[in-house]
Amino acid sequence: MTKSRFINFARATLRSLPKLKASLVEAGKVVGLVRHFTAQQLLIVIQPNTRHIKLAITSACNLRCVGCRYGRDFMIGHQLSLDMVRKLLDDAAHLGVHSVRFYGGEPLLHRDLSKMVHHCVSVGIKPYLTTNGILLRQRVDELHAAGLRTITIGYYGTGESYDAYVQTKGQFQRLDQNVSYVREKYGDSMDLQINFLLMRPTCTLEALREAWDFAGRYGTDFQVDLIHYSLPYFTEGPDRMLQFQMSDRSSIESVVGELMRLRNSAPNRFKEPVLSLRAIPDWLLQGPNMRVPCDAYNILWVGPDGTVQLCYVTFKLGNLHDHSLRDLLYTHAHRQAARNAFELACPNCHCERQHRIEKHLPSRLRYRSVGPSATGPNAASEQATPDCARSEARVTLNANRTVS
């Protein structure tokens, strides 16, 4: 039995024991918190432990999103072959990878996607798909037959706002029809999630509620993605129209307040921790100045040209055209990349932000207060409560000096 099969067997067993699973999840959070606090003094405790692979199988795309370079000038003409992906998945299973995210570009444009999904399932790794959803009706039957059960869909606005962002008319209607088709045909056997992109054009209560209503209509989970400032395939749009400015703080905080209300109303659909939600204004406005240690040591990014990196942005480890995945992982370069990422020796993006916040003691203290307005670089001292013991504040200040 491969490591991945054993891990998935254990996870399946835990699903039948929800109380035990919840206890282990909480224990895992404590371990992460202790590890990150210790690593600020003893960096050697940070070791690569790849559990999730983000696999961009093609650079081709059928939309022209304002904020994305895929399909235009990022790795144009590249895609991973079925044979290369199968070998990667075999190595990943041997190394104990839990899940693989198939995305692009637009992964539904790759003719061998269903075969990749089938092989992923056959070696004991959970696959999930991130797509714009425009071609779902054409491909979902073969993907379901191959074993795919989880799909996340980018959501960039509603109606004409969506069409304006993807720069193609009539696409929101197609998305609506395709999601409806998947839900009607497969019901709850297919887990669907809407990834609402929070950027300046969508930072309104109206846009948020429209996205929430869409998710509710089709019984999907809900996630908030933040507009990026450092991804190599990201663009800020004409005149930086997508990026936030300091003058936008009140609008952001208003949306965050509504996000917290929505989360409280449906915690099973919208699972982002409250601490993470409260940090959103600072992620959007401080950008690289958010000094929250990175846990990219758990992930790996593979580009459509075969590039293997620790994360979406940087720390290149090699290329699958030259080396197998087994040869690239857990080397000296991989270990050093994990530690460099932790220390933010990089452009410092907000990827995996919610896990990073939970593992960072100063952030846990900073964002625990009620209300999104209690954010900002000086908020930690303002938010300390008497029952939290003033010693925690001293720990926070010491940790801040280490990380900053």
Side-chain angles (χ1 to χ4, degrees):
M1 179 181 288
T2 63
K3 288 184 181 179
S4 291
R5 286 189 183 280
F6 175 78
I7 291 168
N8 282 329
F9 171 78
R11 295 173 77 182
T13 302
L14 286 174
R15 280 196 292 271
S16 64
L17 302 167
K19 291 185 178 180
L20 176 59
K21 179 181 177 181
S23 298
L24 291 176
V25 168
E26 289 305 312
K29 291 179 181 179
V30 173
V31 170
L33 182 64
V34 172
R35 178 187 295 118
H36 278 214
F37 182 76
T38 304
Q40 292 165 8
Q41 312 297 331
L42 191 64
L43 189 59
I44 196 173
V45 304
I46 297 298
Q47 297 286 340
N49 185 33
T50 305
R51 290 295 174 259
H52 312 284
I53 295 180
K54 320 295 184 178
L55 190 57
I57 59 175
T58 179
S59 64
C61 190
N62 53 339
L63 298 178
R64 297 179 58 81
C65 295
V66 174
C68 184
R69 295 170 54 204
Y70 270 115
R72 281 174 281 178
D73 61 355
F74 182 77
M75 296 189 179
I76 290 181
H78 287 284
Q79 71 172 23
L80 299 177
S81 69
L82 175 60
D83 183 59
M84 180 173 286
V85 171
R86 281 174 170 164
K87 291 178 181 177
L88 177 148
L89 293 172
D90 288 341
D91 284 351
H94 175 76
L95 294 167
V97 171
H98 294 177
S99 63
V100 168
R101 173 193 180 197
F102 291 96
Y103 81 119
E106 175 45 55
L108 293 177
L109 292 173
H110 200 302
R111 66 179 185 181
D112 293 323
L113 175 59
S114 60
K115 295 178 181 177
M116 295 174 180
V117 168
H118 179 267
H119 193 75
C120 192
V121 173
S122 72
V123 297
I125 300 175
K126 178 184 177 180
Y128 72 101
L129 175 71
T130 296
T131 172
N132 59 39
I134 302 302
L135 299 174
L136 265 178
R137 186 175 185 128
Q138 292 97 308
R139 302 294 306 272
V140 71
D141 293 338
E142 62 180 278
L143 290 169
H144 188 272
L148 183 70
R149 295 295 182 270
T150 304
I151 300 175
T152 66
I153 301 169
Y155 196 95
Y156 316 118
T158 304
E160 293 182 358
S161 298
Y162 179 95
D163 290 350
Y165 180 77
V166 304
Q167 302 188 92
T168 314
K169 291 183 178 180
Q171 298 310 297
F172 182 79
Q173 183 179 10
R174 292 184 65 186
L175 171 63
D176 196 345
Q177 293 170 344
N178 286 350
V179 174
S180 176
Y181 173 82
V182 174
R183 184 55 82 213
E184 288 177 8
K185 182 161 186 180
Y186 294 104
D188 293 337
S189 72
M190 186 69 82
D191 293 329
L192 298 177
Q193 177 175 284
I194 295 302
N195 291 0
F196 174 68
L197 180 60
L198 184 58
M199 52 186 169
R200 286 192 84 194
T202 61
C203 190
T204 67
L205 295 179
E206 180 183 10
L208 172 58
R209 288 166 183 163
E210 287 175 342
W212 182 260
D213 289 344
F214 183 94
R217 186 159 66 250
Y218 296 117
T220 78
D221 287 345
F222 192 85
Q223 176 176 300
V224 178
D225 289 341
L226 307 184
I227 194 70
H228 266 279
Y229 46 79
S230 60
L231 291 183
Y233 45 83
F234 167 75
T235 171
E236 297 179 328
D239 300 321
R240 301 188 76 245
M241 63 175 287
L242 306 180
Q243 240 356 313
F244 290 94
Q245 302 173 11
M246 293 304 297
S247 59
D248 295 315
R249 177 173 280 276
S250 62
S251 297
I252 298 170
E253 290 182 347
S254 178
V255 167
V256 170
E258 180 65 4
L259 284 171
M260 290 196 289
R261 187 190 71 79
L262 294 173
R263 184 198 180 281
N264 290 336
S265 70
N268 291 328
R269 289 177 53 203
F270 185 20
K271 302 180 178 67
E272 182 167 348
V274 170
L275 286 175
S276 179
L277 291 175
R278 289 176 181 150
I280 285 177
D282 286 344
W283 283 117
L284 292 175
L285 295 174
Q286 295 187 33
N289 292 324
M290 282 287 283
R291 309 303 292 176
V292 181
C294 183
D295 62 353
Y297 51 80
N298 286 328
I299 67 173
L300 204 68
W301 181 85
V302 180
D305 67 343
T307 296
V308 177
Q309 295 179 175
L310 186 72
C311 71
Y312 301 88
V313 180
T314 190
F315 302 121
K316 185 175 180 178
L317 302 178
N319 193 291
L320 294 178
H321 290 285
D322 303 317
H323 304 280
S324 70
L325 189 67
R326 292 193 195 201
D327 293 336
L328 296 175
L329 265 59
Y330 302 108
T331 61
H332 172 75
H334 192 192
R335 291 192 295 273
Q336 189 59 52
R339 293 164 190 168
N340 287 343
F342 177 84
E343 293 190 306
L344 304 179
C346 61
N348 186 19
C349 65
H350 52 57
C351 295
E352 313 297 324
R353 70 183 191 280
Q354 69 181 61
H355 305 296
R356 293 165 63 183
I357 289 289
E358 288 187 329
K359 295 173 182 176
H360 187 223
L361 179 58
S363 292
R364 288 174 67 94
L365 295 173
R366 181 175 301 154
Y367 299 113
R368 70 183 173 187
S369 72
V370 176
S373 60
T375 61
N378 300 316
S381 60
E382 299 169 5
Q383 295 169 29
T385 54
D387 60 4
C388 228
R390 290 184 177 83
S391 60
E392 279 193 334
R394 289 194 292 272
V395 172
T396 303
L397 292 173
N398 290 336
N400 268 328
R401 292 191 190 103
T402 304
V403 177
S404 299

